[in-house]
Amino acid sequence: MKVIVDMDVCKDHGQCVFSAPEVFQINENGRLVFEAEPDESLRDAVEEAADVCPLQAITIEG
């Protein structure tokens, strides 16, 4: 699984962090950082994160 976040669209709302904190975090500068190729066992959480993103900036491939 590959996670893609369109950083031109993302406004760092952080809703994804609540759904999949193992994959998405807000760094010390208030910007979203994420694991681009998380373990497959996290798929459900990542899919939920993509669903709750208010700007739909998260895409999952594979």
Side-chain angles (χ1 to χ4, degrees):
M1 164 176 58
K2 183 175 181 180
V3 176
I4 300 165
V5 178
D6 185 338
M7 297 307 286
D8 292 329
V9 173
C10 177
K11 299 298 181 202
D12 305 309
H13 290 122
Q15 296 303 304
C16 55
V17 176
F18 296 110
S19 297
E22 306 90 349
V23 179
F24 302 95
Q25 297 89 37
I26 299 294
N27 70 15
E28 62 277 356
N29 297 320
R31 296 290 308 182
L32 180 71
V33 293
F34 64 98
E35 173 64 43
E37 295 187 14
D39 189 81
E40 185 64 30
S41 66
L42 298 171
R43 179 177 288 276
D44 287 346
V46 172
E47 288 178 350
E48 181 178 335
D51 287 344
V52 300
C53 177
L55 299 174
Q56 297 296 289
I58 302 169
T59 305
I60 303 165
E61 292 182 352

